[in-house]
Amino acid sequence: MTPPTHAKSARELEIGTDVMVELSGVNKWYGQFHVLKDIDLTVYRGERIVVCGPSGSGKSTMIRCINRLEEHQRGKIVVDGVELSHDLKHIEYVRREVGMVFQHFNLFPHLTVLENLTLAPIWVRKMPKKEADAAAMHYLERVRIPEQAHKYPGQLSGGQQQRVAIARSLCMNPKVMLFDEPTSALDPEMIKEVLEVMIELAQSGMTMLCVTHEMGFARTVANRVIFMDFGEIIEQNTPEEFFNNPKSDRTKLFLSQILHH
Amino acid sequence: MTDETVSVPPSEGRKPDLPPPMSVSGPWAWMRENLFSSPLNIALTILSLLLLYLIIPPLVAWATTLATWVFPTEVIVGDRSPRSSDCPDGACWLFVRARIGQFLFGFYPEPERWRVILSFVLGAIGIYGLLGGPARFRKYAAIFFFVVFPIVSFWLLRGGLGLMSVPTEQWGGFMLTLVIALVGIVLSLPFGILLALGRRSNLPVVHLLCVIFIEFVRGVPLITVIFMANIMLPLFLPPDMQVNVLLRVLVGTTAFVSAYMAEVIRGGLQAIPKGQFEGAMALGLGYWGVMRLVILPQALRISIPSIVNTFIGFFKDTTLVSMVGLYDFLNMVKTGFKDANWVGVEITGFAFCAAVYWVCCFSMSRYSMHLERKLHTGHKR
Ligand SMILES: Nc1ncnc2c1ncn2[C@@H]1O[C@H](COP(=O)(O)OP(=O)(O)OP(=O)(O)O)[C@@H](O)[C@H]1O
Ligand SMILES: [Mg+2]
């Protein structure tokens, strides 16, 4: 296990100059309800971005637009040089290259842990089964649960399930990882084991976008924190500046609520 | 993490684990709890036992000790054919024995009946390979059952290519019932899946066609579907094309079960949480991949009881094909009643029918329970 002091090094990780994800002027409505308003966001290779904001501010919606689980109505989203449009080829390309971890894990209960991990490599990447199994075991070791490979998700604890979900995304060798409140369905003692895995992942240079309210995580690994409210990006800054020197009143209010409850 | 909780020493004020009190298990405790727990319960228990005593022994005696099992000597030596007066009392199993060939094979020529037996043995092997056999043979069993078996068994049953031709008008009895049931059951699953997916589709045309088909076929009694298939199908086809009655009936019955199956499977699909679709899509699987690998296996599993329920209902409903002149198992047995030698054997005939249908349906039911247990993979989230 990596002691948290080690994690500091993640802060000095190199950030590339090539753009991995770019949202420009993105707008989205649910019926009459304007969820995303002129979102502009550029994510460079190797960046670790934490997105926070009050409930209902559109964090999940924004992050889900990046792999087209939600469709945006105006603006442009480009992932790894591919623009998301109605073109199914583009959508499938983006989904292959972008991993996503959900609040409720969304593991497949009818498959063993190993089968959960190898499903996409075998059927999407057309990897031979032997190779996929080996890769899956490698990632299970990375999330420290190789001994659970032949169990079913229903037999694991929440923390273990979330680590399996992370490993499942990693098996596709993604260029970007999206996390939507990966720890908020977990008990406190399990949050730690999941965060440790995420910190290690950040140290390995993965480009990450995390919606989370784990401010400790944001301080240790994020190079940028984004604050959203009412469908807008209100403020973005380095963690130090963001936490110690918030600019907008809404950010101050949010931080006071989240840090002193 | 669990290791830590287990290794807590019991000295920290924890009480030791005791075995459960003896009386909560065992047959006596069960009886005391469930049969004799209150005066009302005692009265009901006694009443039920009395009722069972009044019904079961006479019924068993009728079917076994009082029944006639063996032919009289005149019949055996060939002086005369058997008749119902050979049975003085109880069930007249002589009727079943004398006509079992017809009950099972209809008017299928006797020297050719091995072909029917062979094709059903092949089918049974296929079903075993598919459902019960070792997993590594499953792929071959599927190819055998869904491709080889239908072709070979059609050739065996219908004849031609070196075998004596047996037109479908001569098919009948239990064999015909099995043919209709198997075709309906085997085809209704893929058709039902496609219809259910179509009904949930975002494409308006596909959605509408599936809704119309399902609601129309489901809203009409099976007997009407059979009549319509029998009368209307030829109207849609070129006039010089002769379509065999059995084929018309098969089209009707298969359409009917498929519509029911579609709704059963749609119910299963609806029970799958949205997260499963999203989890699978986020991995880059396309529509068919998501459905085939993630959604359908789960939806079908939770639908097993309803699927088998539909199969059982359909298996019994196949008797309705007698309305368009086909001699299925029940109709074949009933035909036997018309024989002047066999008056008054209706009860025996129907009892035999009921027993055969019951064995088939009960086996399906048991198998589905076994399957449910086998596919259980721990708790759902
Ligand atoms: N499918 C939908 N249809 C209509 N409205 C929706 C839908 N999904 C989300 N919304 C609304 O859009 C808004 C933004 O939702 P979103 O899930 O993005 O918020 P969030 O910032 O992730 O909040 P939380 O912290 O509670 O997860 C909310 O007001 C929500 O009610
Ligand atoms: Mg959310």
Side-chain angles (χ1 to χ4, degrees):
Chain A
M1 281 195 190
T2 325
T5 44
H6 249 183
K8 273 269 181 262
S9 64
R11 302 294 312 282
E12 281 93 54
L13 277 168
E14 226 170 275
I15 290 165
T17 49
D18 38 347
V19 177
M20 281 308 309
V21 180
E22 182 158 34
L23 288 79
S24 35
V26 171
N27 279 273
K28 177 172 175 61
W29 288 262
Y30 283 123
Q32 292 297 310
F33 179 58
H34 200 168
V35 237
L36 295 182
K37 300 171 184 164
D38 294 319
I39 300 283
D40 291 308
L41 176 66
T42 307
V43 182
Y44 295 92
R45 180 188 299 283
E47 274 204 287
R48 293 136 342 252
I49 295 179
V50 162
V51 181
C52 61
S55 181
S57 55
K59 308 177 297 289
S60 298
T61 309
M62 178 181 82
I63 206 166
R64 287 157 59 87
C65 279
I66 294 173
N67 67 352
R68 195 71 166 193
L69 286 183
E70 301 288 349
E71 196 178 312
H72 62 285
Q73 279 115 17
R74 208 187 296 155
K76 199 169 153 184
I77 301 180
V78 180
V79 181
D80 193 30
V82 175
E83 187 183 348
L84 280 171
S85 62
H86 286 284
D87 192 332
L88 272 180
K89 284 253 158 8
H90 289 192
I91 296 176
E92 279 173 15
Y93 173 81
V94 168
R95 286 185 181 157
R96 276 200 299 275
E97 304 304 328
V98 175
M100 181 149 191
V101 176
F102 301 84
Q103 184 176 2
H104 294 289
F105 332 132
N106 298 353
L107 294 175
F108 309 133
H110 62 301
L111 300 177
T112 62
V113 165
L114 192 65
E115 289 165 343
N116 263 276
L117 265 63
T118 55
L119 186 81
I122 289 175
W123 293 97
V124 179
R125 293 252 192 252
K126 313 287 177 212
M127 197 185 270
K129 188 174 178 302
K130 275 232 172 69
E131 213 175 298
D133 280 349
M137 286 314 295
H138 165 77
Y139 285 111
L140 278 181
E141 255 151 52
R142 248 180 88 175
V143 301
R144 294 190 280 270
I145 36 175
E147 72 282 359
Q148 312 287 0
H150 299 286
K151 285 197 185 160
Y152 286 94
Q155 299 165 324
L156 305 186
S157 76
Q160 292 173 326
Q161 291 192 46
Q162 193 59 297
R163 284 185 282 157
V164 171
I166 294 173
R168 180 175 75 176
S169 289
L170 292 178
C171 280
M172 282 296 281
N173 231 328
K175 294 181 172 145
V176 185
M177 285 282 285
L178 309 175
F179 293 81
D180 189 0
E181 308 207 29
T183 56
S184 56
L186 298 177
D187 294 336
E189 76 264 35
M190 296 174 185
I191 291 180
K192 200 170 130 260
E193 62 191 46
V194 171
L195 286 180
E196 275 164 6
V197 166
M198 288 172 63
I199 290 170
E200 279 182 20
L201 189 60
Q203 288 168 337
S204 74
M206 176 65 75
T207 312
M208 293 163 71
L209 261 119
C210 312
V211 175
T212 179
H213 291 150
E214 292 296 331
M215 291 305 148
F217 174 78
R219 281 182 207 273
T220 12
V221 298
N223 67 300
R224 194 151 39 124
V225 179
I226 289 178
F227 175 68
M228 284 182 78
D229 201 3
F230 298 109
E232 290 174 73
I233 293 182
I234 304 288
E235 188 166 342
Q236 46 178 315
N237 219 327
T238 60
E240 291 87 14
E241 282 296 300
F242 182 81
F243 290 113
N244 303 335
N245 198 4
K247 300 214 170 49
S248 94
D249 290 342
R250 278 197 259 174
T251 316
K252 285 176 195 158
L253 180 68
F254 174 74
L255 284 176
S256 72
Q257 279 167 350
I258 198 163
L259 297 176
H260 307 294
H261 69 237
Chain B
M1 217 148 277
T2 37
D3 299 349
E4 287 162 21
T5 34
V6 171
S7 60
V8 171
S11 58
E12 288 175 32
R14 266 182 29 172
K15 290 186 178 166
D17 295 344
L18 298 176
M22 281 325 282
S23 59
V24 300
S25 53
W28 290 113
W30 182 87
M31 274 166 66
R32 206 173 328 121
E33 214 169 281
N34 293 290
L35 300 180
F36 304 108
S37 61
S38 68
L40 177 67
N41 201 341
I42 293 173
L44 285 175
T45 303
I46 292 175
L47 200 70
S48 315
L49 287 178
L50 194 69
L51 221 59
L52 288 178
Y53 174 74
L54 288 177
I55 296 171
I56 303 284
L59 205 66
V60 171
W62 175 83
T64 56
T65 47
L66 292 178
T68 315
W69 294 87
V70 284
F71 292 111
T73 26
E74 308 99 272
V75 175
I76 295 171
V77 293
D79 283 353
R80 65 170 175 86
S81 41
R83 48 175 183 256
S84 46
S85 55
D86 292 330
C87 308
D89 214 353
C92 188
W93 298 128
L94 296 187
F95 170 61
V96 174
R97 284 188 61 184
R99 294 188 156 254
I100 189 74
Q102 264 196 15
F103 291 174
L104 293 181
F105 303 101
F107 310 107
Y108 211 90
E110 262 189 80
E112 305 295 320
R113 283 177 183 170
W114 61 269
R115 285 156 48 180
V116 178
I117 296 172
L118 178 61
S119 70
F120 283 116
V121 167
L122 289 178
I125 293 173
I127 291 177
Y128 172 76
L130 211 53
L131 302 176
R136 66 209 142 90
F137 294 139
R138 203 142 297 158
K139 208 197 275 167
Y140 306 106
I143 296 173
F144 172 74
F145 186 72
F146 291 109
V147 182
V148 180
F149 168 66
I151 297 170
V152 171
S153 69
F154 179 75
W155 170 61
L156 279 173
L157 294 177
R158 180 65 187 74
L161 297 176
L163 285 178
M164 187 186 129
S165 157
V166 182
T168 56
E169 285 75 22
Q170 295 182 13
W171 300 13
F174 191 64
M175 160 222 172
L176 184 65
T177 294
L178 272 187
V179 167
I180 297 170
L182 267 183
V183 169
I185 287 173
V186 170
L187 291 182
S188 72
L189 262 182
F191 286 155
I193 289 171
L194 289 178
L195 283 168
L197 292 179
R199 190 168 186 168
R200 284 167 58 98
S201 159
N202 294 326
L203 309 171
V205 180
V206 174
H207 170 81
L208 195 70
L209 284 178
C210 291
V211 171
I212 292 175
F213 178 85
I214 292 169
E215 293 303 333
F216 177 73
V217 175
R218 219 163 48 116
V220 169
L222 175 56
I223 182 68
T224 318
V225 176
I226 293 174
F227 273 130
M228 282 199 310
N230 200 24
I231 295 164
M232 283 170 56
L233 208 58
L235 300 182
F236 293 113
L237 298 169
D240 52 330
M241 200 168 138
Q242 285 275 320
V243 186
N244 162 298
V245 182
L246 178 60
L247 186 60
R248 287 182 238 169
V249 165
L250 285 177
V251 170
T253 50
T254 303
F256 188 79
V257 232
S258 302
Y260 269 89
M261 199 51 64
E263 285 302 279
V264 164
I265 291 168
R266 192 167 69 95
L269 288 172
Q270 242 142 13
I272 306 299
K274 207 166 141 250
Q276 291 291 308
F277 292 86
E278 292 179 348
M281 286 194 302
L283 287 170
L285 290 166
Y287 176 83
W288 292 107
V290 172
M291 287 301 164
R292 187 169 64 87
L293 300 169
V294 176
I295 306 302
L296 281 172
Q298 297 182 59
L300 290 177
R301 177 188 315 166
I302 49 180
S303 313
I304 288 173
S306 320
I307 290 176
V308 175
N309 192 31
T310 309
F311 285 166
I312 288 176
F314 172 66
F315 185 77
K316 294 178 295 183
D317 282 350
T318 55
T319 55
L320 289 172
V321 302
S322 61
M323 302 301 286
V324 290
L326 293 183
Y327 285 89
D328 74 306
F329 181 52
L330 179 65
N331 202 12
M332 208 66 237
V333 173
K334 275 166 69 184
T335 308
F337 302 154
K338 294 189 187 129
D339 189 334
N341 277 336
W342 296 106
V343 281
V345 292
E346 283 86 353
I347 299 184
T348 305
F350 285 133
F352 176 64
C353 257
V356 170
Y357 279 110
W358 183 80
V359 166
C360 294
C361 295
F362 188 64
S363 327
M364 284 194 252
S365 158
R366 294 302 305 189
Y367 181 74
S368 92
M369 285 186 221
H370 162 78
L371 201 61
E372 270 176 76
R373 269 197 306 277
K374 197 169 94 178
L375 295 177
H376 186 74
T377 60
H379 342 272
K380 278 263 168 71
R381 206 188 53 234

Coordinates of all heavy atoms in Angstrom, one line a residue, chain B residues 233-243 248:
Chain B
L233 N -54.1 -17.9 -44.4 CA -52.8 -18.0 -45.0 C -52.8 -18.3 -46.5 O -52.1 -17.6 -47.2 CB -52.0 -19.1 -44.2 CG -50.5 -18.9 -44.2 CD1 -50.2 -17.5 -43.5 CD2 -49.8 -20.0 -43.4
P234 N -53.6 -19.2 -46.9 CA -53.6 -19.5 -48.4 C -54.1 -18.3 -49.2 O -53.6 -18.1 -50.4 CB -54.7 -20.6 -48.5 CG -54.7 -21.3 -47.2 CD -54.5 -20.2 -46.2
L235 N -54.8 -17.4 -48.6 CA -55.3 -16.2 -49.4 C -54.1 -15.3 -49.7 O -54.1 -14.5 -50.7 CB -56.3 -15.4 -48.6 CG -57.6 -16.2 -48.2 CD1 -58.6 -15.3 -47.5 CD2 -58.3 -16.7 -49.4
F236 N -53.1 -15.3 -48.8 CA -51.9 -14.4 -49.1 C -50.9 -15.0 -50.0 O -50.0 -14.3 -50.4 CB -51.2 -14.1 -47.7 CG -52.1 -13.3 -46.8 CD1 -52.6 -13.8 -45.6 CD2 -52.4 -12.0 -47.1 CE1 -53.3 -13.0 -44.8 CE2 -53.2 -11.2 -46.3 CZ -53.7 -11.7 -45.1
L237 N -51.1 -16.3 -50.3 CA -50.1 -17.0 -51.1 C -50.6 -17.2 -52.5 O -51.8 -17.1 -52.7 CB -49.7 -18.3 -50.4 CG -49.2 -18.2 -49.0 CD1 -49.1 -19.6 -48.4 CD2 -47.8 -17.6 -49.1
P238 N -49.7 -17.4 -53.5 CA -50.2 -17.6 -54.8 C -51.1 -18.8 -54.9 O -50.9 -19.8 -54.1 CB -48.9 -17.9 -55.6 CG -47.8 -17.9 -54.6 CD -48.2 -17.3 -53.4
P239 N -52.2 -18.7 -55.7 CA -53.2 -19.8 -55.6 C -52.8 -21.2 -56.0 O -53.3 -22.1 -55.4 CB -54.2 -19.3 -56.7 CG -53.6 -18.2 -57.5 CD -52.5 -17.7 -56.6
D240 N -51.7 -21.3 -56.8 CA -51.3 -22.6 -57.1 C -50.3 -23.2 -56.1 O -49.9 -24.4 -56.2 CB -50.5 -22.6 -58.5 CG -49.4 -21.6 -58.5 OD1 -49.6 -20.6 -57.8 OD2 -48.4 -21.8 -59.2
M241 N -50.1 -22.4 -55.0 CA -49.2 -23.0 -54.0 C -50.0 -23.7 -52.9 O -50.8 -23.0 -52.2 CB -48.4 -21.8 -53.4 CG -47.1 -22.3 -52.6 SD -46.1 -20.8 -52.3 CE -45.6 -21.2 -50.6
Q242 N -49.8 -24.9 -52.8 CA -50.6 -25.7 -51.8 C -49.8 -25.7 -50.5 O -48.7 -26.1 -50.4 CB -50.7 -27.2 -52.2 CG -51.7 -27.4 -53.4 CD -53.1 -27.6 -52.8 OE1 -53.2 -28.2 -51.8 NE2 -54.1 -27.0 -53.5
V243 N -50.5 -25.1 -49.4 CA -49.8 -25.2 -48.1 C -50.5 -26.2 -47.2 O -51.7 -26.1 -47.1 CB -49.7 -23.8 -47.4 CG1 -48.9 -23.9 -46.2 CG2 -49.2 -22.8 -48.4
R248 N -49.7 -24.7 -41.8 CA -50.5 -23.5 -41.5 C -50.7 -23.4 -40.0 O -50.6 -22.3 -39.4 CB -51.9 -23.6 -42.2 CG -51.8 -23.4 -43.7 CD -53.2 -23.5 -44.3 NE -53.3 -24.5 -45.3 CZ -54.4 -25.0 -45.8 NH1 -55.5 -24.5 -45.4 NH2 -54.4 -25.9 -46.7

